[in-house]
Amino acid sequence: MKFSEKWLREWVNPEISTQELVEKLTMAGLEVDGFEYLGNKFSGVVVGEIVEAEQHPDADKLRVCKVSVGSASDEDLQIICGAPNARAGIKVAVAMIGAVLPGDFKIKKAKLRGIESQGMLCSTTELEIGEDGDGIVELDSQAPLGQDLKDYFELNDHVIEVDLTPNRGDCLGVRGIAREVGVLTQTAVTEHKPKALAPEISDTLPIKLSAPQACPRYLGRVIKGINPQAKTPDWMVKYIERSGVRAIDPVVDVTNFVLLELGHPMHAFDLKQIEGGIDVRMAKQGEKLTLLDGQEVELTDDTLLIADHNKPLAIAGVMGGEHSGINSQTDNIFLESAYFDPIAIAGRARQYGLHTDASHRYERGVDFELQRTAIERATELLLDIVGGQPGDIIEAVDHDAMPSKRHLRLRRQRIERVVGFPFADDQVQDILKRLGLKLTANEDGWDVVVPSFRFDIDNEESLIEELVRVYGYNKLPSRKPQAEMAMFDQPENRVWKNDMRDVLVKRGYQEVITYSFVEPEFQLQLHPGIEPLPLMNPISSEMAVMRTNLLPGLVQTAKFNINRQQNRIRIFELGLRFINSGDTLQQIPTIAGLVCGLRNKESWNTDGVKVDFYDLKGDVEALLQATNKSYDFDTLHMDILHPGQAAEISVDGHAVGYIGKIHPQVQQEIDLDMDAFVFQMDLAPLSERQLPEFKPLSKFPSIRRDLALVVADSVNGGELLDFIVKNGGNLLTDAHIFDIYKGEHLEPGKKSIALAMTLRHPDKTLEDAEINAVVEKVVSGLAEQYGAALRN
């Protein structure tokens, strides 16, 4: 928020410099982004009067002006000017020889088409004090000749810009800032309380609250017979323009002035355009409204409207409609002042591609007791500027839907516990009362009533924060922290997320963090058949649904890096995926990874081989081994994965995820330039490890027996190993595959799998009969279940 320091000092005027004022605001949590001294814009510019203006003899668009600057010069100045409004008898801004204009532009004597010019007549744009660059400044006829223009325009002022946090909507007005300054400097604040005006006419409009939860209070007033040709006074234009708001016409300027002064948005309608009365209601789906900026919007049924009995007039708390707006012919107006629930307004402006001063304030919360003061203040200003006859204030209110003031408890012991040292009672009372809170002492502290303009104070800690903020964070004593240190039990079988990170980082991976919001079409491409949950108010169309797996973010990251000439990518993410299950939303902790490109970093001693399925499988196995549980990789058919390079991952017999190569067709659809291999696993089954049990090593030798089995191509080697482990008995200590052969000397459709079995007895040396019995049991079982035969 921007505001004029001079305007602020009309409310509260502490005896401190601008720099000190800015520092106090910043240290109190109202961070000042910057402040600008307006008097630095130019120098050497004075009030002058054009005495004569004649056509330049050698230029159609130039005029030779004789300019008087009063006592500042003995003779009239001859100045060449090309402005279309340069004429005799008007007061103007004259940049004298030696003057410096914005942009460090220095005025010197010059000749234009052979005629000497002794200065320059300036426009508001050239002086950076306005936006009218079509002609030179025309000053009031009473402007004193020779007066420094900085004094005339009261430019000995600073514009201060405060970057307010969303919880401090009460400071989105000069009144709120003044309250803060008054507390911080212990200076009295001069309240500008408007008088309650007696009605001069009996005209009213019926007001109906059809959506009282969204708008529980609405006030209006009819004012007839205003002067539409009146001009906004310079003092008001100065203040609103220094606050970053453009002056338009007196009625709109007054509503903007009240918004900037009190922090309460207002709106004025052309009374002739209102049919019947006012109805504050929700929009009908598909209803249309042309706004003040000329944009036609199609409304949704969650939008609050100000309407008459036949049509919408404005989007409540956002922007008025073009048809009912004030124009140069308007002589009767209806003035609006309302309280809208912040939830009803939040996001509505953004929904229609808008952001207005009104929506900015209503979204953060407006004082629910300020409506009558605001409408009285606006009426007072309007009658002074445009005249007219006011009617009585019309008020519609639903008391059941209105918010109420909060009642809180503040304890002395709690203050000392949170802050670290006690506050004196009189200090607590002084600070909180200056902030507008009402205190009643009790045995252990105070009962506190929070004012209606402080939405952010909702618990005891908020009150303590206010004490510390006003007291000064930099004044708090420095003390060493004192706390009892206790060791918490750390379950030995817990597998922490950092353990998993360490495993993958040591294998060359980098962790990424991607958005949980993804593009709907892209999500369905990488997880077909699962409908993602849409967001009610998405940031953009590319972030409109919740991700159902982690692949969209990983793939987008990979594409980003591939497009920047990265030829080796290994990334992983730990995060949540969101599955819509009936009336509930499952949030599943997940780990996922993606590899593509070269197996090793490019070097003179590497062969440039690209990663394959088994590279990723080895990385996944390293993760699974951290759990010390049994795991399996089983054949998997999944639409997004290559049918010959995909597997389901199981831990202790339960499926936990998958691994595989992205299907070439999917790879083409998502515009991925490299073959990519991905995995995804649920974290819950991996979060606990099977603790190892110590068994003494056998002193006796192990015996190895190799089996070469001929089986059908369709038989999975993993199934053979599982069978051997289950049927090998207690003597079997290891079984693994060491060779697979297809080709010559084997029938078509057959393959040879060579397995090694290691046997050992803990208490004695094994005899051949014991070994042969185990081998024969395994071989006969394999023959019976899988049709396996020993290879000759």
Side-chain angles (χ1 to χ4, degrees):
M1 175 185 169
K2 289 183 177 180
F3 58 89
S4 160
E5 182 186 0
K6 184 170 285 189
W7 190 6
L8 175 66
R9 288 187 182 270
E10 290 178 6
W11 282 78
V12 59
N13 192 15
E15 294 181 359
I16 57 176
S17 67
T18 305
Q19 182 67 44
E20 290 172 313
L21 173 64
V22 164
E23 289 174 357
K24 282 189 176 293
L25 287 172
T26 298
M27 290 306 297
L30 308 179
E31 183 181 355
V32 175
D33 266 356
F35 62 99
E36 177 187 10
Y37 177 56
L38 298 179
N40 281 340
K41 290 182 178 294
F42 55 82
S43 63
V45 183
V46 300
V47 176
E49 181 179 6
I50 299 179
V51 179
E52 296 178 9
E54 299 178 352
Q55 184 68 41
H56 192 292
D58 294 326
D60 294 338
K61 295 184 178 181
L62 297 179
R63 299 177 74 79
V64 181
C65 301
K66 295 291 184 181
V67 181
S68 171
V69 290
S71 60
S73 175
D74 295 333
E75 299 179 356
D76 292 342
L77 303 175
Q78 178 174 282
I79 299 176
I80 310 299
C81 180
N85 63 330
R87 63 190 185 278
I90 62 172
K91 296 285 181 69
V92 292
V94 182
M96 308 283 283
I97 299 299
V100 179
L101 302 186
D104 199 28
F105 180 67
K106 297 178 180 178
I107 302 299
K108 302 176 182 178
K109 284 185 179 181
K111 281 190 176 183
L112 296 176
R113 296 289 181 94
I115 297 180
E116 187 178 78
S117 182
Q118 298 169 319
M120 175 178 171
L121 304 185
C122 304
S123 69
T124 57
T125 303
E126 290 165 335
L127 296 174
E128 293 187 0
I129 57 173
E131 298 179 358
D132 184 6
D134 295 334
I136 55 176
V137 179
E138 293 189 31
L139 304 177
D140 188 89
S141 60
Q142 302 302 315
L145 288 178
Q147 184 181 24
D148 192 311
L149 207 67
K150 286 191 286 189
D151 296 329
Y152 178 78
F153 280 122
E154 297 183 358
L155 294 179
N156 293 311
D157 189 10
H158 289 86
V159 171
I160 301 173
E161 184 172 4
V162 179
D163 185 14
L164 295 169
T165 51
N167 64 313
R168 293 309 305 270
D170 62 296
C171 289
L172 286 169
V174 173
R175 183 193 195 194
I177 298 289
R179 253 189 321 251
E180 288 288 310
V181 173
V183 176
L184 298 172
T185 62
Q186 296 186 332
T187 306
V189 178
T190 303
E191 283 279 355
H192 296 257
K193 294 182 178 179
K195 297 177 182 178
L197 299 173
E200 298 179 18
I201 56 175
S202 59
D203 297 61
T204 61
L205 285 180
I207 298 174
K208 180 182 178 183
L209 301 180
S210 297
Q213 294 299 325
C215 176
R217 171 177 282 164
Y218 189 96
L219 281 71
R221 167 176 266 166
V222 172
I223 303 177
K224 303 187 83 172
I226 69 169
N227 177 12
Q229 306 306 319
K231 288 188 176 182
T232 306
D234 290 341
W235 65 267
M236 182 176 288
V237 172
K238 172 184 65 179
Y239 284 153
I240 63 176
E241 287 188 344
R242 290 177 189 180
S243 298
V245 177
R246 183 170 59 91
I248 300 173
D249 64 60
V251 177
V252 176
D253 293 345
V254 164
T255 59
N256 283 334
F257 181 84
V258 173
L259 174 142
L260 294 166
E261 181 182 59
L262 302 181
H264 192 292
M266 298 189 67
H267 190 68
F269 297 98
D270 187 333
L271 184 63
K272 295 177 184 176
Q273 304 301 327
I274 300 177
E275 302 177 64
I278 296 294
D279 186 7
V280 187
R281 61 173 174 86
M282 304 307 293
K284 300 170 186 176
Q285 188 69 33
E287 200 169 6
K288 293 184 178 180
L289 173 65
T290 301
L291 300 173
L292 282 171
D293 62 359
Q295 174 188 357
E296 184 182 65
V297 294
E298 184 172 322
L299 304 167
T300 57
D301 57 10
D302 61 350
T303 302
L304 185 66
L305 287 184
I306 308 300
D308 61 20
H309 290 171
N310 293 319
K311 62 185 180 299
L313 301 174
I315 300 178
V318 178
M319 185 179 284
E322 183 180 53
H323 182 68
S324 61
I326 304 299
N327 56 57
S328 59
Q329 306 302 316
T330 301
D331 55 4
N332 300 324
I333 64 173
F334 178 73
L335 200 59
E336 163 195 281
S337 177
Y339 171 74
F340 301 118
D341 182 68
I343 300 300
I345 306 301
R348 297 300 172 269
R350 188 168 63 249
Q351 181 177 334
Y352 298 107
L354 302 170
H355 181 80
T356 64
D357 289 327
S359 67
H360 187 77
R361 285 160 176 79
Y362 276 124
E363 287 176 343
R364 286 153 177 77
V366 168
D367 184 351
F368 56 82
E369 292 186 345
L370 190 59
Q371 289 71 49
R372 185 171 289 271
T373 300
I375 202 168
E376 292 284 20
R377 176 64 167 151
T379 304
E380 179 183 69
L381 292 167
L382 284 170
L383 296 185
D384 286 344
I385 299 170
V386 297
Q389 297 175 298
D392 202 359
I393 293 178
I394 318 151
E395 180 174 11
V397 60
D398 187 318
H399 293 287
D400 294 335
M402 282 290 292
S404 58
K405 293 181 179 179
R406 296 189 181 95
H407 293 258
L408 304 175
R409 182 185 181 193
L410 179 61
R411 296 164 291 173
R412 296 182 186 88
Q413 289 184 348
R414 186 62 179 167
I415 296 173
E416 184 174 358
R417 179 177 177 82
V418 172
V419 180
F421 73 97
F423 273 82
D425 284 7
D426 58 348
Q427 195 172 26
V428 171
Q429 291 171 176
D430 178 67
I431 290 174
L432 295 185
K433 285 181 178 178
R434 282 181 176 274
L435 286 169
L437 287 77
K438 294 182 180 179
L439 281 73
T440 304
N442 57 38
E443 291 182 1
D444 59 354
W446 299 269
D447 294 317
V448 182
V449 180
V450 181
S452 55
F453 55 82
R454 288 305 299 269
F455 285 82
D456 57 317
I457 301 178
D458 56 4
N459 54 37
E460 190 174 23
E461 280 66 30
S462 298
L463 292 170
I464 297 172
E465 182 183 3
E466 289 299 294
L467 289 174
V468 176
R469 186 176 66 83
V470 175
Y471 178 78
Y473 295 109
N474 55 334
K475 295 180 183 177
L476 294 176
S478 298
R479 294 183 179 177
K480 294 181 180 179
Q482 296 179 353
E484 292 184 3
M485 304 298 290
M487 297 293 290
F488 293 97
D489 291 337
Q490 297 284 358
E492 191 178 357
N493 67 338
R494 180 70 181 271
V495 179
W496 303 97
K497 290 182 181 179
N498 280 344
D499 297 335
M500 298 183 184
R501 289 186 175 99
D502 289 344
V503 170
L504 292 176
V505 168
K506 289 175 181 177
R507 300 179 76 87
Y509 284 74
Q510 290 183 310
E511 183 177 9
V512 299
I513 299 173
T514 63
Y515 285 109
S516 297
F517 314 140
V518 296
E519 184 182 4
E521 183 180 351
F522 192 61
Q523 175 62 73
L524 288 172
Q525 286 176 317
L526 292 171
H527 202 174
I530 303 296
E531 195 67 30
L533 181 71
L535 298 174
M536 292 184 64
N537 294 300
I539 299 172
S540 66
S541 59
E542 288 78 21
M543 304 176 75
V545 298
M546 305 295 287
R547 64 186 181 190
T548 58
N549 60 16
L550 270 56
L551 297 189
L554 293 173
V555 170
Q556 291 285 26
T557 303
K559 289 172 62 177
F560 183 89
N561 282 274
I562 291 170
N563 291 339
R564 284 153 183 79
Q565 292 81 48
Q566 299 300 308
N567 58 15
R568 183 177 185 269
I569 298 169
R570 289 170 174 259
I571 53 177
F572 76 95
E573 181 171 11
L574 286 158
L576 295 174
R577 57 190 181 96
F578 305 87
I579 303 297
N580 199 5
S581 178
D583 296 333
T584 61
L585 178 67
Q586 291 181 296
Q587 301 183 55
I588 305 171
T590 306
I591 185 170
L594 179 148
V595 297
C596 61
L598 299 179
R599 175 178 293 164
N600 300 303
K601 289 184 180 179
E602 191 173 13
S603 175
W604 62 271
N605 64 346
T606 57
D607 51 12
V609 174
K610 294 183 178 180
V611 292
D612 58 23
F613 176 86
Y614 293 101
D615 290 311
L616 183 62
K617 182 171 179 284
D619 298 332
V620 173
E621 285 183 327
L623 275 176
L624 296 171
Q625 286 166 4
T627 67
N628 205 30
K629 296 180 180 179
S630 61
Y631 57 85
D632 292 302
F633 293 86
D634 301 314
T635 302
L636 175 67
H637 297 285
M638 191 173 180
D639 291 341
I640 67 164
L641 299 179
H642 193 293
Q645 299 185 54
E648 182 181 68
I649 305 169
S650 300
V651 173
D652 286 344
H654 301 286
V656 299
Y658 56 83
I659 179 176
K661 178 184 178 183
I662 293 181
H663 196 289
Q665 183 177 343
V666 175
Q667 181 182 332
Q668 185 177 5
E669 290 174 357
I670 63 177
D671 196 25
L672 186 62
D673 294 338
M674 289 187 185
D675 292 343
F677 299 85
V678 296
F679 78 86
Q680 178 174 284
M681 295 188 290
D682 294 345
L683 280 177
L686 309 180
S687 61
E688 292 185 0
R689 64 165 56 90
Q690 184 71 39
L691 294 178
E693 296 181 7
F694 173 75
K695 292 182 180 179
L697 296 175
S698 174
K699 299 178 182 179
F700 300 93
S702 62
I703 304 298
R704 170 170 166 160
R705 289 289 187 268
D706 293 345
L707 302 176
L709 301 172
V710 177
V711 294
D713 261 345
S714 59
V715 175
N716 191 311
E719 295 179 13
L720 300 181
L721 284 177
D722 288 343
F723 182 87
I724 293 172
V725 170
K726 291 177 182 178
N727 294 275
N730 295 333
L731 299 179
L732 183 69
T733 60
D734 182 56
H736 64 272
I737 297 172
F738 64 87
D739 186 41
I740 297 178
Y741 172 76
K742 294 180 183 180
E744 193 178 352
H745 305 305
L746 287 179
E747 297 178 18
K750 297 286 186 178
K751 63 182 176 182
S752 171
I753 299 180
L755 305 102
M757 295 172 55
T758 302
L759 307 173
R760 187 200 301 266
H761 197 289
D763 300 323
K764 66 174 186 176
T765 300
L766 286 173
E767 297 180 358
D768 287 343
E770 294 173 301
I771 297 169
N772 292 336
V774 174
V775 173
E776 288 173 5
K777 179 183 177 183
V778 168
V779 170
S780 61
L782 291 172
E784 181 179 348
Q785 186 157 344
Y786 297 102
L790 289 174
R791 182 180 175 188
N792 297 325

